[in-house]
Amino acid sequence: MDRQRVPVTLLKVGVGLADKGLFSEGEALGETVLAQTGRRTTRLGMPPFTIDTEQGRRQWRQLLLALEQRIVLIGAYPGMLADDLSDYLFTRSTGHIGSLMTLINRGCQRAQRTGAERLTRDLLDHVRNDEAAEQARHELEYAFSTGKATSRPQSVRTLR
């Protein structure tokens, strides 16, 4: 029988996959050279967005600008996320893409149900986000409210 090799891509998403032994099935010393999964897997990380550098703030803004283009609400407008809600969204998501997408998706659903048809801080204040983001946001709220942190790039701050 003629065997053919077919390349396959497997995508596994999760937290602590290495700690759970996904990449090292050999447990005894020396068995790691026999590890099939570890030898065929490339781990890619997805760190949260950061705003402690100008480059990080620009990347956050680019993400929000891209998301704005995909929001389907009658009252949506350019700058709704990237200008008006940037700091707020960073605080509520703590820079994590999953938390940000959960908040925006739930916010859009609420905006449609209530007839608001746009995302505002007041509307989003009534939207629960994932538990990890809700627990981590308090320290960030203080930093933003006292002016010790901002998600806006310098070029955007000088325009206001």
Side-chain angles (χ1 to χ4, degrees):
M1 181 182 325
D2 201 16
R3 291 186 178 179
Q4 293 183 345
R5 292 182 181 237
V6 178
V8 175
T9 300
L10 298 175
L11 179 63
K12 295 189 182 234
V13 178
V15 176
L17 296 178
D19 296 336
K20 293 176 178 128
L22 179 68
F23 305 110
S24 59
E25 59 269 32
E27 293 198 17
L29 186 62
E31 286 185 14
T32 55
V33 297
L34 303 174
Q36 296 295 309
T37 306
R39 296 276 179 199
R40 294 183 169 96
T41 305
T42 302
R43 184 175 12 166
L44 302 173
M46 183 71 181
F49 284 84
T50 60
I51 55 166
D52 54 348
T53 66
E54 192 64 18
Q55 179 182 359
R57 290 186 287 272
R58 281 193 303 269
Q59 289 172 343
W60 177 251
R61 179 172 175 75
Q62 289 298 47
L63 171 64
L64 295 180
L65 289 169
L67 292 175
E68 280 180 6
Q69 295 176 12
R70 288 161 180 78
I71 290 180
V72 183
L73 293 172
I74 294 170
Y77 57 91
M80 182 174 68
L81 301 183
D83 294 330
D84 296 347
L85 294 171
S86 180
D87 287 352
Y88 179 82
L89 291 172
F90 191 87
T91 300
R92 291 289 311 270
S93 68
T94 62
H96 289 83
I97 188 76
S99 300
L100 175 66
M101 296 308 296
T102 296
L103 182 61
I104 289 176
N105 284 330
R106 289 177 181 171
C108 286
Q109 291 169 11
R110 183 175 188 86
Q112 290 172 339
R113 277 193 319 272
T114 62
E117 289 297 330
R118 70 173 46 182
L119 297 179
T120 63
R121 183 183 178 121
D122 184 51
L123 180 129
L124 291 170
D125 277 344
H126 294 91
V127 174
R128 279 285 285 163
N129 204 357
D130 64 86
E131 192 60 27
E134 291 296 331
Q135 292 293 325
R137 76 187 258 202
H138 300 292
E139 187 175 319
L140 279 173
E141 283 177 334
Y142 177 76
F144 280 104
S145 69
T146 59
K148 294 180 180 183
T150 183
S151 64
R152 293 181 178 85
Q154 184 65 41
S155 59
V156 174
R157 283 182 271 158
T158 55
L159 295 176
R160 290 188 161 236

